[in-house]
Amino acid sequence: MHFTTVDYVIFVLLLVASAGIGLFYAFSGGRQRTTQEFLMADRSMSCLPVSLSLLATFQSAVAILGAPSEVYTFGTQYWFLGCSYFLGLLIPAHVFIPVFYRLRLSSAYEYLELRFNKSVRICGTATFIFQMVIYMGVVLYAPALALNAVTGFDLWGAVLAMGLVCTLYTALGGLKAVIWTDVFQTVVMFAGQLAVIVVGASQAGGIGEVWRKAVNGSRIAGIDLNPDPLERHTFWTLGVGGIFLMLALYGVNQAQVQRYLSSRTEKEAVMSCYVVFPCQQIVLGLGCLMGLVMFARYGEDSPLEKGYVKSNDQMVLYFVMDVFRDLPGLPGLFVACLFSGALSTISSAFNSLATVTMEDLIKPYFPNMNEAKATLLSKGLALAYGLVCLAMAYLASIMGSVLQAAFSIFGMVGGPLLGLFCLGMFFPWANPIGAVVGLGAGLAMAFWIGIGSFVMRISGSSPVPTLNTTALPLFDNMTTTVMTTLATKPRLTGVEALYSLSYMWYSAHNSATVVVVGLIVSFLTGPMKEKDLTPGTVFPVLGTLLFFLPERYREKLCCITPLVQKPKELSTQTYQKARKDKNGKKGDQAQTEDDENDLGTRIALPSCQLTAHTVVETTL
């Protein structure tokens, strides 16, 4: 089974169209002459393209390959992941987006400096860069490897073509090109998946026959309410544990936060979360349906068992080539769908990495850099990260089974970062020392569990006997697991139980570790007082939950200050001043009074009784 000329033409057209969108935005409009336009799309994007871009970043090539294989092998229990989407998007829409948008940030990690100090910001930025650099090469190499194994498509030709095209349109067109290319690639992804489902179902005798075979083969799962966190997939692990995975992705990940901040208004940013919700349900449904169509075609006699493919992540491509063997052009459409997922994920990584590097690591040390030089440097950073991505793809090619460890590392780092933002946003007493120690504890716990579990399984030292172990990338571009078909399952205790924790609970467990350790260390080293907090950096969830307490107790708990209500525009000058204060660069009292007199409208925020009024400038 090999590609025809028509298939190659369709694949090349995808790359040409993606590059064309980038070139269009490089030479039209403002031509990406400012960092605001290049990195933030000039904060001018509307709801629909932002929401489709959010979806495209979520729907990577890993998900397109992994979800159908998961359903084919284990049944539709995976579908209950959709239950986590509701809170996983509602919380970012009404908690994280208002805070980030009203602070007028460019980098999500800029928040950490406003809330804590520069050291915490640098720790958060370094952690994010580490996770994205590790992941970029893998998400580029893995689909190309699967394609090469099944169709004979040239491996490094695909890797270089994708890497260079993606680098080109990201470095030239900026975030606006990335978002509009994501929109185009989302349409291609839907078209490719629908084509496979329609043709595959018709060859199997129709959707009714597909469903009948799935029921007879025990692939239609009911709700599993087993509360055991060691069970890989149950309603609780998927529906509740999945919420924390979604929060790590949609709440605090720079690639997604940057899209919210590129919206014209806060309302449109919030609406983008609501629009992406039904789209995600459709994508999840298509993945599950494709898995059922695969089962209707092969039954229990899978291509993996027959030796036609070497791993689960090649099964979907084998199925596509098998179904479309007499329909030239359609295999090319699905491959375009697959690589659209990879392109959208990688371009988001390039742009977000360029943004955090510029905003968090360069601008604070070169505050007088002119706009033209800063924009040129941002484009250079996007180009440099593109070349790093190709280098990481080469490393991925020689890592072998460690590929799956790289996916896990990406998932393991997301949880501690979520915990760090939650610590700052929901607990006003958390101080910078607690934040740094908490992040370190969360990362240590994440790597201990994740790597320990991985090594235990691949070394065969696991006390759980196995019949068949295969590496399968799962869920989205956030996490993976090693799937194991169990013969018997004795009850595990101690470290063995910790290593057997369902991967869906990793994010919740690791973020909780950051919050608990961070709070303990903060109380031991002196909790922060409300008068020391930058206004607008704490979401008043505690004040809402403790509404029944008398006001004097709530004042002592520092939980009565409401979230800053943003006027027409909220200037960043107050926050620039806050940054200086955080780093011990306070001027004398006279200079401070002069600065305050220069500000425009004053907004007095309710606070603890002895706290001074906070001054905020507006553009009125």
Side-chain angles (χ1 to χ4, degrees), residues 101-113:
Y101 199 92
R102 294 174 192 186
L103 292 176
R104 306 297 287 175
L105 308 178
S106 296
S107 162
Y109 306 99
E110 190 177 357
Y111 166 84
L112 296 177
E113 181 178 352

Side-chain angles (χ1 to χ4, degrees), residues 60 62-63 78 81 135 233 245 249 404 406-414 472-482 502-507:
S60 69
V62 173
Y78 177 75
L81 179 66
Y135 190 70
H233 280 174
L245 282 173
L249 178 62
Q404 300 309 313
F407 280 106
S408 298
I409 287 172
F410 190 95
M412 287 186 285
V413 174
L472 172 68
L474 286 177
F475 177 48
D476 63 1
N477 55 349
M478 290 299 291
T479 189
T480 191
T481 187
V482 176
S502 170
Y503 75 101
M504 294 297 294
W505 285 114
Y506 281 1
S507 187

